[in-house]
Amino acid sequence: MSVAIIIPAGNEATTLPRLARCLASLDPQPAEILLVDGDSSDGTLALAQALGIPAIRAAKGRGRQCNAGVAATTAPIVLILHADTWLPDDAVAVAARTMADPRTVLAGFTAILAGPEKTRWVTSAHNWLKTFYAPALFRPWLFVRGGRLLFGDHAMFMRRTAFEAIGGFDESLAVMEEADLCVRIVPHGRTRLLSRTVTTSDRRVAAWGEWKANWIYLKIGIRWGLGVRVKTLGTLYPDVR
């Protein structure tokens, strides 16, 4: 099965050269790559095109950008890649092999957060754990049906048919749009967190501090789990770019 890589981006000019090298090293190559720029002010769109990354512009908002990217591609497997996340060279083969199991509808890699100074083992471990404990605590009836909680750092990938059947990402959500999708996709099959890893920039953790970052993640996660002010949670999650 062929794979389309969709990259929602906003003011990511500094990360694009490394991203371009990562994409060029993929073997096999994906059938499609598309960066979707959300009204960047730093020349992200032009730089992506100069680096050979196909790119379009869409209204700002990660859900809107991802939906636009999926609509503009055709491959049966859709992989959502953040611009500051770097895939293993065989990621396309891993995605195709994972989706060869008809029971699996959504999957993601284990994310390791790292930067120039250190690897964020505490936050990486918490990210791994909340894949399981969050749905077990807040959506146990979905957990037993194979539901798991994945986020953008996981380079999540899914079947296009299921994505389209649930209407894609909820564009009204500023954060937790991936978690919302994970909940809505459960009737179509199980979700898997793979033992294979991707590396994600620790820039947000570095800006906030590790303990503050994990407190913010936990606070947002609990409020989301309880259904409290879901559409305004973005105010608790400031942009660091």
Side-chain angles (χ1 to χ4, degrees), residues 9-11 36-40 57-65 171 239 241:
N11 291 327
V36 185
D37 178 56
D39 298 324
S40 295
R57 192 183 299 279
K60 184 178 180 180
R62 200 156 54 201
R64 285 187 288 273
Q65 290 169 242
E171 297 182 1
D239 196 348
R241 287 167 292 186

Side-chain angles (χ1 to χ4, degrees), residues 21-208:
R21 294 193 298 271
C22 169
L23 295 173
S25 71
L26 295 175
D27 184 18
Q29 282 283 299
E32 300 165 283
I33 296 174
L34 185 64
L35 182 143
V36 185
D37 178 56
D39 298 324
S40 295
S41 59
D42 67 347
T44 290
L45 181 65
L47 179 58
Q49 293 170 335
L51 291 169
I53 303 174
I56 61 173
R57 192 183 299 279
K60 184 178 180 180
R62 200 156 54 201
R64 285 187 288 273
Q65 290 169 242
C66 289
N67 287 345
V70 173
T73 57
T74 61
I77 301 173
V78 177
L79 189 153
I80 307 298
L81 179 65
H82 286 189
D84 65 343
T85 297
W86 298 283
L87 298 166
D89 291 353
D90 63 341
V92 172
V94 170
R97 187 165 59 246
T98 301
M99 289 301 170
D101 181 350
R103 298 169 297 175
T104 301
V105 70
L106 172 66
F109 295 81
T110 295
I112 304 297
L113 275 69
E117 301 296 328
K118 62 188 297 186
T119 298
R120 307 285 178 170
W121 294 115
V122 171
T123 304
S124 298
H126 183 211
N127 283 351
W128 183 88
L129 286 169
K130 70 185 178 185
T131 300
F132 305 97
Y133 79 70
L137 285 174
F138 296 112
R139 304 289 191 278
W141 58 94
L142 297 181
F143 181 79
V144 298
R145 294 174 61 188
R148 300 294 183 267
L149 210 59
L150 301 179
F151 294 92
D153 291 345
H154 292 112
M156 58 196 293
F157 54 93
M158 67 208 82
R159 298 185 189 277
R160 175 182 295 273
T161 51
F163 181 89
E164 293 175 344
I166 64 173
F169 288 101
D170 183 341
E171 297 182 1
S172 70
L173 300 179
V175 295
M176 302 298 285
E177 70 281 354
E178 298 103 340
D180 173 76
L181 181 141
C182 288
V183 168
R184 291 186 290 113
I185 209 168
V186 168
H188 295 272
R190 70 174 185 175
T191 297
R192 292 183 56 195
L193 179 64
L194 305 180
S195 58
R196 295 296 304 277
T197 63
V198 294
T199 301
T200 295
S201 169
D202 71 339
R203 59 187 177 181
R204 193 177 297 276
V205 178
W208 290 346

